Amino acid sequence: MDKLTKEFKSGEVLKAQDLNSIKDKVNELVEGVNTGSGTTITVDSSLSTTSTNPVQNKVITEELNKKVLKVDGKGLSTNDFDNEYKLKIDNMSSGGVASTTEKGFFVCDSNGNIAFQYDSNGFDAAKLSIHFKSLLQINIGSKWNGKTINVLGDSNTAFGKFTNPLSKLLECTLNNYGVAGTRIASSSASDTDSFCARYPDMAVCDAVLVMGGTNDWNQAWSEGFGTFSDRQKNTFCGALHYLFSGLIEKYPDIPIVICTIPHNKNEEYAHMTPSQYISDNGEGITLNHNSKTLDDYSDMIIRVARWYGLPVIDVRHAFVSGVITRYFSDDVHFNDLGGSMIARCIAVEMENIYDKFYKKIQ
């Protein structure tokens, strides 16, 4: 099939015979396609990676309509982006909660950082900030859960009024080494009941809690108050040094926590029966045989504990001033209410003390 060629000169007008020639040539081409004679044109009806035939324009158009137009500056990743992830991004824009049914949920701060996450493995509540703990109405438990604490004390320890609730609050095993009527100091070399004589027999544990001194003050005729420089266990000051240094040697790697002396009703001189062992300090406060108030004994406990770097819990602030009689079954022993108040006071401080000794460094 020959090509139709016609060269037009500038200004020349297309003539009728020219149009007839073009018409004849088109008919010739069509006739060749239909009859199979001459050169044929095959049109594909679908896209093909192997065909060498021209492809119908509408097929290409249909395929192109299925594609996403490329946007300058943007690319495609290998990850699928679905509505679930879009919801997360929308929530993260201003900080909030993005939740899913398969992947758990997480909370983002205003900077889009994950501040709290929960998935099929649960979450570590101990790592939550105080803010999140206050928002979530859950029982996150105590850091002392499963630990063992030895408590060395006198009758207020032995009777269990504060140790039993303390064990529940801390969710720990509490070994009660309280003995009624005992003192921190030893009245003689043969004394086997004092704190100084009993502490070596305590078992292995994760923390030691010491609360005593009430009987050292009440029974001051047995041993003197002494001075800070004393190191022997037959004075109150010396016994504190002896006990604290001995506990550090026995338990060098665990918290040894010292409590101050709880308030009791005998501190008020008007409550006491006058005797040769006590007097009034002029302000209605009882002075013992050594002319010391209970505060004097408690303050020395704080001073010596700080000397050794031991944490101190001030249980003298556990009771509300002016209604102290509500917390005792007699003059010096806690009732259930008093024991619970002491336990709460100690438990709060023990949670902070745990972090100092056991918090993991990531």
Side-chain angles (χ1 to χ4, degrees), residues 151-192:
V151 182
L152 181 62
D154 49 32
S155 55
N156 268 325
T157 298
F159 294 167
K161 292 298 184 179
F162 84 87
T163 55
N164 290 340
L166 179 62
S167 178
K168 294 178 181 179
L169 288 171
L170 297 182
E171 302 175 0
C172 69
T173 298
L174 196 150
N175 293 328
N176 192 321
Y177 288 95
V179 176
T182 57
R183 301 177 298 279
I184 294 175
S186 297
S187 57
S188 65
S190 60
D191 182 8
T192 59

Side-chain angles (χ1 to χ4, degrees), residues 88-327:
K88 291 182 180 182
I89 299 301
D90 290 342
N91 285 326
M92 289 175 65
S93 62
S94 59
V97 179
S99 61
T100 74
T101 57
E102 297 179 0
K103 304 176 182 64
F105 68 91
F106 56 83
V107 179
C108 298
D109 59 22
S110 58
N111 296 319
N113 300 316
I114 295 179
F116 165 82
Q117 184 171 351
Y118 178 91
D119 54 26
S120 59
N121 295 320
F123 66 94
D124 187 354
K127 294 180 181 179
L128 293 178
S129 67
I130 295 176
H131 173 67
F132 277 115
K133 289 179 182 178
S134 66
L135 293 179
L136 298 177
Q137 299 299 313
I138 58 175
N139 180 15
I140 64 170
S142 170
K143 300 169 188 175
W144 291 96
N145 181 280
K147 301 291 186 179
T148 299
I149 300 176
N150 291 345
V151 182
L152 181 62
D154 49 32
S155 55
N156 268 325
T157 298
F159 294 167
K161 292 298 184 179
F162 84 87
T163 55
N164 290 340
L166 179 62
S167 178
K168 294 178 181 179
L169 288 171
L170 297 182
E171 302 175 0
C172 69
T173 298
L174 196 150
N175 293 328
N176 192 321
Y177 288 95
V179 176
T182 57
R183 301 177 298 279
I184 294 175
S186 297
S187 57
S188 65
S190 60
D191 182 8
T192 59
D193 290 334
S194 69
F195 290 23
C196 289
R198 295 185 354 248
Y199 84 83
D201 296 328
M202 292 196 300
V204 175
C205 60
D206 300 297
V208 173
L209 184 69
V210 179
M211 187 168 73
T214 296
N215 294 324
D216 292 88
W217 179 74
N218 283 341
Q219 304 171 21
W221 58 86
S222 297
E223 66 279 329
F225 185 77
T227 65
F228 185 82
S229 61
D230 290 346
R231 294 297 184 272
Q232 299 302 314
K233 57 184 178 181
N234 60 346
T235 68
F236 182 70
C237 294
L240 292 175
H241 283 282
Y242 186 95
L243 176 62
F244 295 169
S245 62
L247 286 171
I248 293 171
E249 183 177 358
K250 181 177 176 63
Y251 301 106
D253 300 318
I254 68 172
I256 299 168
V257 184
I258 311 302
C259 293
T260 56
I261 306 173
H263 278 297
N264 64 67
K265 294 192 289 185
N266 287 342
E267 291 182 78
E268 185 179 354
Y269 182 72
H271 178 77
M272 298 291 290
T273 302
S275 73
Q276 59 180 321
Y277 302 117
I278 63 171
S279 60
D280 187 343
N281 73 340
E283 297 176 342
I285 307 300
T286 305
L287 294 174
N288 68 359
H289 183 69
N290 293 319
S291 297
K292 300 289 185 180
T293 65
L294 192 59
D295 271 329
D296 292 329
Y297 278 70
S298 191
D299 290 344
M300 183 56 68
I301 288 176
I302 296 173
R303 183 181 177 188
V304 178
R306 287 177 175 170
W307 174 260
Y308 291 99
L310 302 180
V312 176
I313 299 178
D314 191 2
V315 297
R316 289 182 73 71
H317 294 158
F319 300 138
V320 178
S321 177
V323 290
I324 195 171
T325 56
R326 297 181 56 206
Y327 307 114

